[in-house]
Amino acid sequence: MSASRRSGTADSLGPGDPEPDPETERDPERDGPASDDLLAALLDGMDAALCAFDADGVVTHWNREAERILGWTAEEAVGRRGFAGWAVRSADADEVAERLLGAMGSPGRQVHEFALLTKDGGRVLVRTQSAAVRGPDGEPAGVYCAFSEVHTQIDLERSIALSEALFDSASWGVVLVDADLRPAVVNGHAARALGVGRSSLLGRPLGELLTRGVEDLENAFTHVLSEGAPPEPAEMWVTLRTDEGESRRCWRSGFVRLSSPLAEEPVPLGVGWLFVDVTEAKQLEQEAAQLRFRANQLHRAARASAECEDPYEAATVQLDFALAGFADHALIDLTSSLEPPRLVRSAATPAGTPGPVQSLAKGGIPLRYAPGHPALQCLERAGSVRASAGAAGSTDAEQWAEARQWPSDAVHALCVAARSRGRTVGVVTFLRGVTRPPFERGEAMYAESVAVRIAASLDLVGR
């Protein structure tokens, strides 16, 4: 029996009825399914349970979802008057009937919650939406009622509420990326982190916003689409394009695969990307680790140099330990006794392959540093001086370094005065290649600590 009540047989022709016209007679095979069959198929395919009553409260429709929830089949339900005696308790029957049939006299939909009985005697709390069904004359001809288990409805409402909260007021950035790896939905936090508006980001490749790190992000999206979400969040460094220039950020990111609940097999719709900016915390961690390492290097250098009988060897040992993780090359220029004081190259790291600091015998011949050389500025100021080749090309950077009598691969320099007993005994120069960042102001403090120890050893050489 279908989910809707049918009339059963066709009326016979009366004596005054015209003969059917074979040209206009309906052909069921040509015109498709009958309206009753189509209605039954539509009702049975619904995800919500649905039943309907006529004006007298008799059940006229009952779909498969209603059968699944309560256990009563369409054959058992259609034709009964109300729910009394089978789908509700007798004590609740009048109240339930009043609520349901009351929708015929009320505008719009009415929402109620009450308990129904299953076929095996159990009770199910359902939430119903009922509304009047109007006849051709506009008068109420019955009521339809859609219902679902309350916990199912609550789960749906929670999912919707969670989605709205994530995209309105979440403290994490949330981006939904489609299968083409392009943003489809972006919340306000993510838009602010990316420096664009929520709508302007949609459908644009992430490479338009990120100069570095976009490959890692897209690789993560591809992995999630094919393999599923990773077991724990990942920390990803990216470089953003901003109006002020480039900004390097670290985002702690989580990923989830989005699949359609309507497909028979899981079909990935895209990736949910949740992230929070942890740049400051990661920078503090890196700085703390760097400080621990450098303090340890200073301690090891002090112990190693204490075992050197030659104070000049002790100075080069100090410099060897300072180079680790700090610079690619190092130079020691000693002050001469000439007036004004000149600088004489005393020790340096090998210009080719990396190696320990080596002593150089220059016979006391001063270096021909051009005026304004960073080492000469350092000598004059008795303080630290930073210099960099800037954005020059490789050829220009080599010329910049060679003009200052530094190794050709040097692009960043830090010159520090080596002072002992109130006078400058020399200048220590640290050099970095193109793969390293320029020296920062805070790094000059570490270089000065190294220079003080080197100066103490060099002062002993003079005495």
Side-chain angles (χ1 to χ4, degrees), residues 119-360:
K119 187 175 182 179
D120 58 7
R123 298 183 70 195
V124 178
L125 184 62
V126 298
R127 179 174 296 177
T128 66
Q129 295 186 24
S130 55
V133 177
R134 305 287 174 180
D137 56 357
E139 295 297 322
V143 174
Y144 81 83
C145 173
F147 63 91
S148 61
E149 298 176 75
V150 167
H151 71 83
T152 302
Q153 184 71 20
I154 291 176
D155 288 344
L156 176 61
E157 292 177 359
R158 285 173 178 164
S159 297
I160 296 173
L162 175 61
S163 299
E164 292 180 350
L166 285 175
F167 287 104
D168 289 338
S169 57
S171 58
W172 282 57
V174 182
V175 179
L176 300 189
V177 181
D178 62 22
D180 294 327
L181 309 186
R182 299 195 178 197
V185 185
V186 181
N187 76 340
H189 187 100
R192 291 190 295 271
L194 291 165
V196 295
R198 293 179 63 176
S199 59
S200 62
L201 182 61
L202 304 183
R204 294 172 57 186
L206 290 173
E208 294 183 7
L209 302 174
L210 307 177
T211 58
R212 295 179 184 174
V214 64
E215 296 86 0
D216 295 334
L217 268 176
E218 291 181 347
N219 180 57
F221 295 152
T222 303
H223 172 81
V224 173
L225 283 172
S226 59
E227 304 292 337
E232 58 187 23
E235 292 175 352
M236 314 194 79
W237 284 93
V238 299
T239 303
L240 288 168
R241 288 191 181 95
T242 65
D243 296 337
E244 295 77 20
E246 294 186 347
S247 174
R248 191 165 182 260
R249 314 301 298 172
C250 181
W251 291 335
R252 180 171 292 139
S253 304
F255 305 92
V256 291
R257 180 166 60 181
L258 306 178
S259 300
S260 173
L262 303 179
E264 295 182 1
E265 297 181 359
V267 177
L269 299 177
V271 176
W273 172 32
L274 296 87
F275 67 91
V276 64
D277 195 316
V278 293
T279 306
E280 293 184 4
K282 295 304 295 182
Q283 288 176 340
L284 290 175
E285 289 179 11
Q286 291 176 353
E287 291 173 2
Q290 191 177 72
L291 287 174
R292 288 194 299 269
F293 175 76
R294 290 176 178 172
N296 186 46
Q297 287 297 97
L298 289 176
H299 174 72
R300 294 174 61 194
R303 296 195 60 178
S305 61
E307 301 300 323
C308 298
E309 295 183 5
D310 182 2
Y312 193 81
E313 181 186 358
T316 58
V317 166
Q318 290 275 357
L319 195 54
D320 280 330
F321 276 96
L323 275 174
F326 184 71
D328 297 317
H329 300 285
L331 313 170
I332 298 178
D333 297 334
L334 298 180
T335 56
S336 66
S337 58
L338 301 176
E339 286 297 334
R342 306 286 183 83
L343 292 174
V344 178
R345 181 66 48 82
S346 175
T349 52
T353 57
V357 178
Q358 298 175 350
S359 300
L360 302 176

Side-chain angles (χ1 to χ4, degrees), residues 2-5 33-46 61:
S2 71
S4 60
R5 186 173 59 183
S35 58
D36 284 351
D37 293 333
L38 179 59
L39 176 60
L42 290 174
L43 294 179
D44 286 342
M46 294 178 62
H61 296 80

